[in-house]
C-alpha cells in the first residue's frame, strides 16, 4: 500500500495569478482518485510540521522571519511563487509535515510519498527556486533522530535541476549521501558539490539518459544505505518549459522502473518527494507524476 500525503492547500496556498503551475497537485490527486489503477494507493492528509524540525536544519532567524510573514522583497523574489500570500506559510508547514509523515509511512510500508516537496533549492538561511525550506534535509534529520536503524540516507535526486541546496546543507555529514543527476545548462547556474554529481548535456534523449542512469546507480550499489529519498521531478520531459532535457513519457517511466528495482535490490524503504514539473500543457506533468505513483504502488 502506497500512502500519499496530500492537502488541498498544496494548490490553494499559492496565488491564482502566480506563474507557478499550482493546479498540478489537485489535478494529480484527481487523476489518481478517479483511475481504476489506484487500489494500492491511499491518500492521507498531513499535519503541519512541528517547527522544531525546521530549527534543526535551518537558521532560526530565517525560519522566524518566514513564519512571521516578514521575508524581504528580495528574499521573496529569490523563492518565487509570487505574488506572495500569507497562505504560503500554512502551505509550507503542511508540505513539510507531509514529507516527514511519508518517512514514517515508508518505514512501515516499504514506500510512501508526498504529493509535493522535494524542495532541493532551499539553503540553510534562505529559500530559492520555489523552495522555502529543504524538506529532504529536514526529513533526513527527522529520520535519523526518530529511527535508530535508519541512519544512512541516500538522496537520489533526478530532477532536471541540481539539488544545490541539499548538497550545500549536508556536505559535511557523511551519513547523508547526495546524488544529483541533472542537466548542466539548467538552474542553478552556480552548481554545488554533491557526493556524486552527474551533469547531463542539454537535449539528451531517453537512450543516453537511461544508460548513464544505469551506470550511476551501479556506483551506488555498495553504499551503506538504510533508506532512500527519491526526488522524482519530471521536469526532464521534452514537454517541460524549464527543463533542457528531452525525455519521453516512456523514458520517464523507465527511469522510475530503474529506481524502483534499485530500491528493491538495496532492500530499503523509499520516500518519494515530487520535485519539479512545468510542462505545457500541464497534462504532461499530471500524467508523468500519476504514472510515477502507480509504479511505486506496486512495490
Ligand atoms: Zn526542477
Amino acid at each position: 500500500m502506497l500512502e500519499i500525503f496530500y492537502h488541498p492547500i498544496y494548490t490553494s496556498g499559492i496565488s491564482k495569478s502566480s506563474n507557478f503551475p499550482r493546479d498540478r497537485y489537485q489535478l494529480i490527486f484527481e487523476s489518481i482518485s478517479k483511475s481504476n489503477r489506484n487500489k494500492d494507493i491511499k491518500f492521507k492528509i498531513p499535519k503541519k510540521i512541528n517547527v522544531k524540525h525546521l530549527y534543526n536544519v535551518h537558521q532560526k532567524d530565517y525560519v522566524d522571519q518566514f513564519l512571521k510573514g516578514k521575508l524581504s522583497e528580495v528574499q521573496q523574489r529569490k523563492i518565487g511563487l509570487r505574488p506572495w500570500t500569507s497562505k504560503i506559510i500554512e502551505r509550507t508547514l503542511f508540505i513539510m509535515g507531509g514529507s516527514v509523515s511519508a518517512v514514517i509511512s515508508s518505514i512501515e510500508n516499504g514506500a510512501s510519498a508526498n504529493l509535493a516537496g522535494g524542495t532541493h533549492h532551499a539553503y540553510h538561511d534562505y529559500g530559492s527556486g520555489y523552495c522555502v525550506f529543504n524538506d529532504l534535509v529536514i526529513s533526513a534529520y527527522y529520520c535519523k533522530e526518530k529511527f535508530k536503524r535508519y541512519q544512512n540516507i541516500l538522496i537520489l535526486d533526478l530532477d532536471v535541476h541540481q539539488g544545490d541546496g541539499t548538497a550545500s546543507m549536508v556536505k559535511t555529514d557523511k551519513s547523508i549521501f547526495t546524488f544529483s543527476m541533472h542537466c548542466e545548462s539548467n538552474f542553478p547556474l552556480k552548481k554545488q558539490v554533491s557526493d556524486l554529481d552527474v551533469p547531463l548535456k542539454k537535449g539528451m534523449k531517453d537512450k543516453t539518459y537511461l544508460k548513464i542512469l544505469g551506470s550511476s546507480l551501479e556506483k551506488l550499489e555498495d553504499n551503506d544505505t538504510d533508506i532512500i529519498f527519491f526526488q522524482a521531478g519530471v521536469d526532464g520531459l521534452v514537454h517541460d518549459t524549464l527543463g533542457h532535457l528531452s525525455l519521453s513519457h516512456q523514458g520517464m517511466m523507465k527511469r522510475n522502473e530503474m529506481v524502483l528495482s534499485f530500491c528493491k535490490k538495496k532492500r530499503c524503504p523509499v520516500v518519494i518527494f515530487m520535485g519539479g514539473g512545468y510542462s505545457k500543457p500541464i497534462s504532461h506533468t499530471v500524467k508523468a507524476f500519476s504514472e510515477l505513483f502507480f509504479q511505486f504502488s506496486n512495490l
Side-chain angles (χ1 to χ4, degrees), residues 120-121 159-161 235 276 278:
H120 59 174
H121 299 308
D159 193 278
V160 80
H161 304 99
D235 40 14
Y278 313 94

Side-chain angles (χ1 to χ4, degrees), residues 91-274:
R91 174 183 190 265
T92 302
L93 296 177
F94 273 114
I95 292 180
M96 299 297 123
S99 294
V100 297
S101 299
V103 170
I104 304 176
S105 172
S106 77
I107 288 172
E108 289 167 358
N109 302 307
S112 182
N114 190 7
L115 211 157
T119 45
H120 59 174
H121 299 308
Y123 282 72
H124 175 66
D125 54 352
Y126 65 93
S128 162
Y130 303 141
C131 305
V132 178
F133 299 127
N134 194 311
D135 66 338
L136 295 153
V137 177
I138 290 166
S139 300
Y141 284 99
Y142 175 87
C143 178
K144 278 159 63 72
E145 193 185 306
K146 199 170 165 75
F147 300 102
K148 290 285 159 285
R149 277 186 51 215
Y150 297 89
Q151 294 297 306
N152 295 304
I153 296 158
L154 170 62
I155 300 180
L156 212 63
D157 190 333
L158 298 186
D159 193 278
V160 80
H161 304 99
Q162 195 208 23
D164 58 333
T166 315
S168 130
M169 285 177 78
V170 302
K171 67 175 167 226
T172 57
D173 192 327
K174 290 197 165 46
S175 68
I176 304 173
F177 190 96
T178 52
F179 168 73
S180 179
M181 186 160 136
H182 50 266
C183 182
E184 62 183 8
S185 65
N186 268 118
F187 176 91
L189 229 56
K190 183 179 178 299
K191 306 283 191 283
Q192 298 293 325
V193 181
S194 314
D195 291 303
L196 179 57
D197 280 301
V198 182
L200 306 172
K201 296 269 177 244
K202 191 173 180 169
M204 188 176 282
K205 294 184 180 157
D206 294 354
K207 203 174 159 206
T208 323
Y209 178 91
L210 295 168
K211 198 170 158 217
I212 296 175
L213 176 61
S215 56
S216 305
L217 289 175
E218 258 172 43
K219 287 183 196 158
L220 304 175
E221 270 178 18
D222 295 331
N223 276 23
D224 205 0
T225 306
D226 302 318
I227 185 166
I228 295 167
F229 290 1
F230 178 25
Q231 207 280 20
V234 299
D235 40 14
L237 276 180
V238 65
H239 315 280
D240 201 86
T241 56
L242 298 184
H244 295 166
L245 296 180
S246 301
L247 304 183
S248 70
H249 279 286
Q250 223 176 8
M252 197 54 87
M253 286 175 68
K254 182 71 192 150
R255 173 199 83 166
N256 301 338
E257 221 174 278
M258 287 167 75
V259 173
L260 191 54
S261 58
F262 174 79
C263 296
K264 281 184 182 163
K265 206 182 264 180
K266 298 284 281 179
R267 297 169 190 264
C268 286
V270 54
V271 188
I272 302 162
F273 300 75
M274 239 176 71

